[in-house]
Amino acid sequence: MMRALKREPWRTCRVMMLTMLTMLSILILIPGCQGIQNTRRSAGEHPLDSRIRIHRSSDGSRQDFAALIAEISSRDVVFLGETHLDDITHQVELSVLKGIHAAGRSVVVSLEMFSRDRQQLLDDYLAGTVSEDQFLADSHPWNNYETGYRPIIEWARRTGSPVVAANVPRSVWRKAAFGGGLSALDADQRATIADTLLPNSQRYWDRYDRTVRGHGHVTVDQQPEQRLEKVQSLWDNTMGESVARAVKQHPGSVVVHVNGGFHTLEHDGTAHQFQLRSPEASVKTVHIVPSFDLSQVEIEAGDARADWIVVTEPVARGLSDGSLAVYMTRPLRYRIDAPPRSAGQAPLLIWLSEQGIDPDQRLQQLRSRFGAVPCLVVVEPIYSNGSGGTWLAEDHRDEDISTIAFGLQRLRQRLLAQRRLDPDRVVLAGDGDTADLIASVAIGDADWPIAITETMAAPGWFAMEGLPPPVAEDDAHPGTGLMVLISSEHQDAWQLEAVARAAVGSPMRVEAITGEDRRELLYQRIADALDR
């Protein structure tokens, strides 16, 4: 296994000061940190406490995770309203499930993210009678399933907790809402919608109209009874009924339903539909929302959004508009093509996309070249328009390198935590205009034991960076280090850098190549590193 990073790559004193200032400016985004504080946790502190703020809405008071669990674990139903793409939000949800379970209550998980027609398939997967590959192929999971909901499903498998596929199938609600109403459905389709449609509140629809204003499908001035067959009503009614059924089928359990925050905001929508069907049940709602400045969060007494407000630190996001991201001062967006988990631990290639190249096109090219085995990630330039862009701004190059280095470190951590990857076969690579950046980020950094790049240019800014003190023998770099494929014209300059870096314990290899075969040779060196 790779060792944790024990030192920062040293630059000149000026660069080090800039790096420190940059890192301090984004310290609130570092996992496990909020300002400068002692990171050692007391016995009663939850691992997420430093990355979330929890408030009880009745009095606005700040509470800890234990207080939240103590209250909600005594209820029949807990509604978790989420921002679908936020990584810490999903960690909070999983921790809520674990906390209620640890409090001695059995748990039933109910999810907006799966439709009723997939319930049997979901049950079969939980029971171990179908493979994960088959489950994912047939269950139509959301595109951020891997980063958002898989941990919940896998926890349910391990603990034997039932999971409810609570929503309406997409094909059904589209047909009902836009193709003729409930009368247009056959019996099987109709069974995937709540038996009886009950109206949502006028307050709910007023808020809905304000929220989706301008999207072209809002019919204003309709009474709630006239909107029963609208998409939002079909979702809320069906999810509310699904939760009510789960309460009856699993007496004594806590049903935890996860949905988008709007569905249960102010106890409306799905929460309201459930209470109409189960008025005697005890319910608590939790609204989870990200904020980039936890220290400034204040909740007023009587906040109507939910019984509990959990504010999270944005760290990473799931798929949105085609790309995932880790959060920095600028989002570090990336595209991923991962092999199925059943294939075993995969090597990982993180490729820094070049200027003017569509990241999706590069991802396809890399898959074609390296085959089905590795997990491939293409990272977009931080100054990007989605189809190319630039990595560094001339007037603050040092700050950009520090920001990118931080983001790539966070990206690597998230990928290793979320995917089934081999931590000993992680390669950072790129070519052309990314070569100097890769060299600056990776040189001497123990978290990047393998970095490979190709350039026809001289070392440039990389040759102007200061060197750290030599490392102790027992702190030697764990991998082969940085490999640079270069033209013979600049071989001497790069070789001088290799000698200087080696003298301080930062392994670096230089290989001269011709222009005709440089891309193919780069790919071959990457393939060798992935296959080692």
Side-chain angles (χ1 to χ4, degrees):
M1 299 292 288
M2 289 184 187
R3 298 173 303 173
L5 180 62
K6 295 182 178 179
R7 60 185 184 278
E8 291 288 343
W10 283 46
R11 314 295 182 199
T12 62
C13 291
R14 178 176 65 87
V15 176
M16 284 299 294
M17 289 300 295
L18 287 168
T19 301
M20 291 173 64
L21 289 172
T22 302
M23 294 304 290
L24 285 172
S25 72
I26 55 178
L27 191 57
I28 191 171
L29 295 182
I30 298 175
C33 297
Q34 181 180 336
I36 299 174
Q37 63 179 23
N38 184 350
T39 57
R40 183 173 298 171
R41 296 195 301 268
S42 63
E45 188 177 354
H46 190 275
L48 287 174
D49 279 347
S50 63
R51 299 200 294 194
I52 61 178
R53 291 283 297 269
I54 300 174
H55 290 261
R56 181 185 287 115
S57 296
S58 58
D59 58 8
S61 63
R62 185 176 176 182
Q63 302 290 327
D64 60 15
F65 208 89
L68 170 65
I69 296 299
E71 180 166 314
I72 64 177
S73 61
S74 65
R75 307 296 165 162
D76 298 317
V77 174
V78 177
F79 289 99
L80 300 181
E82 68 165 30
T83 300
H84 295 312
L85 303 176
D86 177 55
D87 180 73
I88 299 297
T89 292
H90 298 307
Q91 293 186 44
V92 169
E93 292 164 349
L94 182 59
S95 294
V96 164
L97 297 174
K98 291 179 177 179
I100 295 174
H101 192 262
R105 298 293 303 277
S106 56
V107 177
V108 177
V109 182
S110 176
L111 296 174
E112 173 193 1
M113 299 79 201
F114 288 95
S115 55
R116 283 181 167 184
D117 61 333
R118 304 295 134 172
Q119 184 66 61
Q120 187 58 56
L121 179 62
L122 182 56
D123 291 342
D124 290 343
Y125 177 65
L126 294 173
T129 59
V130 299
S131 69
E132 184 172 24
D133 290 348
Q134 189 67 50
F135 169 65
L136 294 177
D138 296 340
S139 63
H140 309 310
W142 285 18
N143 61 5
N144 64 326
Y145 173 80
E146 186 79 22
T147 56
Y149 309 108
R150 185 182 185 276
I152 292 176
I153 296 295
E154 295 305 307
W155 175 85
R157 285 189 81 193
R158 292 192 301 271
T159 60
S161 301
V163 180
V164 176
N167 212 346
V168 185
R170 178 182 178 86
S171 60
V172 175
W173 62 253
R174 288 183 64 86
K175 186 174 183 179
F178 305 120
L182 298 183
S183 60
L185 305 179
D186 61 32
D188 290 339
Q189 293 170 331
R190 180 62 184 86
T192 63
I193 296 177
D195 290 342
T196 302
L197 300 182
L198 305 174
N200 279 325
S201 68
Q202 184 62 54
R203 177 184 64 178
Y204 180 78
W205 285 115
D206 289 344
R207 186 168 66 249
Y208 175 82
D209 291 343
R210 293 193 300 270
T211 302
V212 301
R213 183 173 59 91
H215 285 256
H217 59 272
V218 178
T219 305
V220 297
D221 300 327
Q222 283 190 327
Q223 296 300 309
E225 292 77 8
Q226 297 174 286
R227 301 193 183 199
L228 290 178
E229 296 185 8
K230 298 297 183 182
V231 174
Q232 195 79 5
S233 173
L234 298 179
W235 287 343
D236 288 327
N237 269 276
T238 302
M239 289 192 291
E241 183 190 75
S242 294
V243 175
R245 288 179 177 179
V247 171
K248 292 180 180 179
Q249 292 170 0
H250 303 278
S253 297
V254 182
V255 180
V256 180
H257 178 75
V258 180
N259 56 216
F262 191 90
H263 286 289
T264 44
L265 201 64
E266 298 186 8
H267 288 255
D268 268 329
T270 300
H272 176 66
Q273 291 295 332
F274 168 74
Q275 293 273 222
L276 290 175
R277 292 165 170 83
S278 304
E280 302 303 320
S282 60
V283 174
K284 285 294 177 182
T285 59
V286 182
H287 187 63
I288 312 172
V289 59
S291 171
F292 277 99
D293 193 352
L294 295 183
S295 65
Q296 298 300 312
V297 170
E298 293 184 4
I299 303 298
E300 294 183 1
D303 190 310
R305 287 177 292 173
D307 298 309
W308 290 81
I309 308 293
V310 179
V311 185
T312 66
E313 166 198 338
V315 171
R317 76 177 188 204
L319 280 172
S320 174
D321 299 327
S323 67
L324 301 98
V326 292
Y327 286 111
M328 313 179 301
T329 50
R330 301 183 66 88
L332 193 67
R333 298 179 176 87
Y334 62 98
R335 316 296 172 92
I336 187 168
D337 185 1
R341 288 177 175 271
S342 58
Q345 277 195 320
L348 169 63
L349 170 62
I350 299 178
W351 179 277
L352 301 193
S353 185
E354 312 93 305
Q355 183 173 346
I357 299 297
D358 187 318
D360 284 325
Q361 178 184 350
R362 178 61 73 218
L363 188 62
Q364 294 173 9
Q365 291 171 349
L366 292 174
R367 178 57 72 199
S368 177
R369 176 59 178 78
F370 293 110
V373 173
C375 178
L376 303 177
V377 172
V378 174
V379 185
E380 298 181 31
I382 60 174
Y383 302 102
S384 175
N385 58 13
S387 59
T390 58
W391 282 100
L392 305 174
E394 291 185 5
D395 58 342
H396 45 81
R397 175 187 180 279
D398 296 332
E399 296 95 325
D400 284 345
I401 289 178
S402 297
T403 299
I404 294 164
F406 168 77
L408 289 172
Q409 170 74 356
R410 171 169 280 178
L411 172 60
R412 177 183 173 277
Q413 291 171 343
R414 298 313 306 152
L415 291 171
L416 291 177
Q418 294 172 345
R419 306 282 173 169
R420 192 176 182 187
L421 303 174
D422 183 350
D424 292 323
R425 291 188 292 162
V426 177
V427 179
L428 178 66
D431 65 354
D433 58 316
T434 67
D436 224 33
L437 173 60
I438 290 173
S440 293
V441 167
I443 189 69
D445 188 337
D447 278 347
W448 299 110
I450 309 171
I452 305 174
T453 189
E454 171 272 320
T455 179
M456 295 292 103
W461 281 95
F462 180 66
M464 302 179 190
E465 296 174 351
L467 299 175
V471 299
E473 184 175 345
D474 61 354
D475 197 25
H477 192 281
T480 55
L482 175 66
M483 170 181 280
V484 184
L485 309 181
I486 49 86
S487 66
S488 57
E489 177 185 1
H490 300 296
Q491 183 176 6
D492 290 344
W494 278 103
Q495 192 61 48
L496 284 174
E497 279 302 304
V499 172
R501 302 290 176 164
V504 294
S506 299
M508 176 177 165
R509 293 175 293 160
V510 175
E511 182 177 351
I513 58 175
T514 62
E516 290 76 14
D517 64 353
R518 60 185 188 177
R519 173 57 66 84
E520 180 56 34
L521 186 58
L522 172 64
Y523 282 170
Q524 185 57 55
R525 295 294 180 265
I526 293 172
D528 292 343
L530 293 173
D531 292 340
R532 72 188 183 102

